[in-house]
Amino acid sequence: MPVPIPRQRAIPAAEGGQAHAAPPHDSTAPAHEGSNTNHSSTHSTAHSATGHSATGHNNSVSSNGSGLSLLVIEDDPAGSLSVPELLDSAGKPIRIRTARNLTEAERLLTDDVHCILLDLALPAPGTAEGDEDELVALKHVLRLAPRHAVLALTANDDSERGAEAVRVGAQDYLFRDELDARLLSRAIRYAVERKRADAAQRQLTESRLRAQENARLERGLLPTPLLEGSPLRFAARYRPGRSRALLGGDFYDTVRTPDGSVHVMIGDVCGHGPDEAALGVELRIAWRALTFAGLCGDELLSTLQKVLEHERADDEIFATLCTVDIAPDGRRAGLCLAGHPSPLIAREGRLAELLPYEDGGPALGLLPRARWPRRQVELGGKWSLMLYTDGLIEGRIGQGTQRLGQDGMVEMVRRQIAAGLQGDELLEAAVNEVRDLNGGDLTDDVAVLLLDRTPGAR
């Protein structure tokens, strides 16, 4: 079921990669804004170089152009700090808000603010005079505004403190007595762009880490055949249809039980998404556990259908399945088909052919009380048994609508066996030829595995 997502603040322009539009420039309109009308000393100081008067209108940005907004946080009762008129790269005024303390700053820190200019001498709430941490105000602002660009303002003889502010998280630092329009405007633009670049790099890193983690998880969910003590040779190829995925809705497994029997299974959950891949893993693990518990044939498939019915996302999800249990002597096997293509067998001295499939049952999840008869087949002394999903036979041939189909697959494998291919080489050649006939990557998941019995071979 979907997980509720909490409502969040809109991402500011510094991180979202988009600048807010600026209102049309009017020579009579103020370029600076204050926190409220009671801060006359701060406003007069901030506007001394511009000749503009403060107003109380909201710092909203219209859609007629782009612009930047600066929040100045400083307590300057002497009025020594003068913020000049600032222009962005497009020649539009950079709007300025002022706050005398962090409490006012928190109220003025809306999403249309792009950059913060913080006086490092400003005390933070709850700190005592003489606090050893000289950057406590900066750390408070960084916690308060993690998505905004921050410029630190420090005294001319305190470059060490400014450098430490950058190490803590500010984008740059400026000297109080060297502020001019060109320097400050450039510093604001640089800080905003650096914050945006840092956010993009962080998102890219997080995406890569998630992809690596998903790959490790999917790799760990792929089966490891348990055939210790068996003379049979095993090979498999697996190609999910989902882009950049390692795991699809196809699944397979092979185990040897204590009595010497070898059990092999291949299946296909309808669909290609992560939910189908997860269901395929659940069915594979359930099959392995039930097989080791001694179940086979109709009893095994009936139990797997119950697992599918309880785990699927909706009632329309089904899965095809083919199971083969090979006797300890390797000469006979029991075959069960649940809506799945019949395996192909290549016996010594005979052409490769499909095993009988007339007695197959429906796919798992379609009929609540279905039955799956187990058919006994003779394998012979030396043989190769290939199980596959429909992704191997449903690829197109050329530009038309014709599909390869089972007959085309049989002819292809016969030709490859005649050329001397076997084991991994045979599977690789088969999958590659199907892809080439399709004119490119297959859209469906493809799983194909091969068991070989060659008496006397190591």
Side-chain angles (χ1 to χ4, degrees):
M1 61 183 293
V3 179
I5 301 176
R7 297 176 63 86
Q8 299 181 358
R9 295 174 59 193
I11 298 177
E15 178 159 345
Q18 55 184 350
H20 293 278
H25 182 53
D26 187 347
S27 60
T28 63
H32 297 62
E33 301 175 41
S35 56
N36 55 52
T37 55
N38 294 329
H39 302 157
S40 57
S41 62
T42 303
H43 290 168
S44 61
T45 302
H47 300 142
S48 60
T50 65
H52 294 315
S53 60
T55 67
H57 67 76
N58 188 10
N59 191 25
S60 60
V61 184
S62 72
S63 60
N64 297 330
S66 61
L68 295 174
S69 298
L70 175 70
L71 175 61
V72 180
I73 310 175
E74 56 87 24
D75 186 9
D76 187 31
S80 59
L81 177 63
S82 177
V83 179
E85 181 177 13
L86 306 175
L87 300 177
D88 63 16
S89 58
K92 297 182 178 295
I94 296 178
R95 292 169 303 282
I96 299 175
R97 294 180 179 182
T98 58
R100 293 187 303 182
N101 53 56
L102 296 180
T103 302
E104 289 182 3
E106 185 172 359
R107 189 176 71 252
L108 294 175
L109 189 61
T110 53
D111 289 335
D112 56 349
V113 172
H114 299 82
C115 186
I116 299 170
L117 178 63
L118 172 67
D119 187 353
L120 294 181
L122 188 74
T127 59
E129 186 175 352
D131 195 309
E132 294 183 1
D133 190 352
E134 297 180 339
L135 299 179
V136 62
L138 173 62
K139 294 176 181 177
H140 184 88
V141 168
L142 293 175
R143 289 192 300 269
L144 186 66
R147 299 175 179 175
H148 291 71
V150 177
L151 290 171
L153 190 63
T154 186
N156 281 21
D157 58 352
D158 204 359
S159 59
E160 183 176 346
R161 189 179 186 186
E164 181 64 22
V166 174
R167 285 191 290 270
V168 168
Q171 273 60 59
D172 204 349
Y173 70 93
L174 302 169
F175 293 127
R176 170 186 288 269
D177 296 336
E178 295 182 1
L179 286 183
D180 59 52
R182 182 179 178 183
L183 174 65
L184 185 53
S185 297
R186 185 174 60 186
I188 293 171
R189 295 196 299 271
Y190 168 78
V192 169
E193 291 303 322
R194 181 175 177 181
K195 187 69 176 181
R196 182 183 291 119
D198 289 345
Q201 181 61 43
R202 184 175 63 253
Q203 291 171 355
L204 178 60
T205 301
E206 292 173 352
S207 177
R208 287 174 176 170
L209 291 175
R210 283 195 300 269
Q212 293 171 1
E213 183 176 334
N214 290 340
R216 287 194 297 270
L217 176 61
E218 292 185 12
R219 215 174 279 118
L221 293 175
L222 290 172
T224 300
L226 300 180
L227 289 174
E228 184 177 358
S230 172
L232 302 182
R233 294 185 306 171
F234 174 85
R237 287 294 181 273
Y238 190 91
R239 291 188 182 181
R242 288 189 297 137
S243 175
R244 294 186 296 276
L246 296 177
L247 199 64
D250 290 2
F251 55 98
Y252 66 90
D253 205 351
T254 306
V255 298
R256 182 176 184 264
T257 49
D259 64 353
S261 299
V262 171
H263 303 260
V264 58
M265 169 271 291
I266 194 165
D268 182 3
V269 177
C270 66
H272 310 290
D275 291 339
E276 289 76 16
L279 182 56
V281 171
E282 291 179 278
L283 292 174
R284 179 186 69 78
I285 295 174
W287 176 87
R288 176 175 284 199
L290 294 170
T291 299
F292 278 125
L295 276 67
C296 70
D298 180 74
E299 186 180 14
L300 172 59
L301 270 66
S302 297
T303 308
L304 284 177
Q305 173 158 282
K306 293 179 182 178
V307 173
L308 182 144
E309 291 171 346
H310 284 89
E311 298 295 333
R312 61 186 175 184
D314 60 69
D315 293 341
E316 296 183 357
I317 299 296
F318 63 89
T320 66
L321 193 69
C322 169
T323 68
V324 179
D325 54 280
I326 302 169
D329 63 6
R331 302 183 67 88
R332 300 174 310 280
L335 170 67
C336 285
L337 295 174
H340 199 89
S342 182
L344 179 147
I345 186 168
R347 301 180 179 93
E348 186 176 23
R350 297 168 59 178
L351 291 175
E353 60 182 350
L354 298 175
L355 288 178
Y357 53 87
E358 291 82 3
D359 297 331
L364 303 182
L366 293 182
L367 301 176
R369 288 177 294 276
R371 288 293 176 260
W372 295 272
R374 177 178 176 272
R375 180 174 186 135
Q376 189 77 16
V377 295
E378 293 294 326
L379 302 178
K382 182 179 179 181
W383 48 263
S384 295
L385 185 66
M386 190 174 85
L387 284 71
Y388 52 93
T389 57
D390 58 8
L392 189 69
I393 59 177
E394 291 188 349
R396 299 183 184 277
I397 300 178
Q399 300 297 323
T401 59
Q402 183 180 357
R403 306 280 183 173
L404 176 64
Q406 286 181 291
D407 292 339
M409 181 201 66
V410 171
E411 292 298 325
M412 176 187 70
V413 173
R414 285 176 177 176
R415 176 169 31 84
Q416 292 167 345
I417 292 176
L421 298 180
Q422 57 182 338
D424 286 295
E425 292 181 348
L426 175 60
L427 294 189
E428 189 69 20
V431 173
N432 287 340
E433 183 168 340
V434 168
R435 179 186 179 279
D436 293 341
L437 290 172
N438 189 64
D441 290 333
L442 300 164
T443 57
D444 198 2
D445 304 327
V446 176
V448 54
L449 55 91
L450 191 69
L451 280 175
D452 291 323
R453 182 176 189 266
T454 306
R458 295 182 59 183

